[in-house]
Amino acid sequence: MVFINQLQLNYTSDMEKAMHGAHGVGYETYSRKHEVRMKVEKRRQEEHIKCQQMIANLEKKVHS
């Protein structure tokens, strides 16, 4: 069997704990399963957009 989607990642135990805490999966699963990576990255993108919107709203309030 050939793993086309597997990532070669170097990570620490603290990164493993953070990944489990934030996304409920470990790096081993994240690196092997494309659908898991896409779900995690979609959630990260959504969180990033929300944070950018919050920053924009705060800046608007500060400069008003």
Side-chain angles (χ1 to χ4, degrees):
M1 186 180 278
V2 176
F3 290 101
I4 296 172
N5 294 324
Q6 189 167 1
L7 299 177
Q8 298 297 321
L9 300 172
N10 296 322
Y11 57 94
T12 65
S13 62
D14 287 336
M15 292 168 67
E16 181 75 14
K17 289 176 191 175
M19 186 71 158
H20 270 286
H23 304 291
V25 297
Y27 272 102
E28 180 66 26
T29 303
Y30 178 84
S31 69
R32 283 187 296 109
K33 296 189 176 183
H34 178 75
E35 55 278 348
V36 171
R37 281 199 312 273
M38 292 299 98
K39 185 176 179 181
V40 167
E41 294 306 323
K42 181 178 180 182
R43 187 178 314 140
R44 285 180 174 169
Q45 181 66 25
E46 290 168 353
E47 290 174 1
H48 177 73
I49 290 169
K50 285 179 186 178
C51 288
Q52 294 298 316
Q53 290 170 342
M54 287 181 359
I55 291 168
N57 288 337
L58 286 172
E59 287 179 346
K60 190 185 299 184
K61 288 179 182 181
V62 168
H63 298 293
S64 298

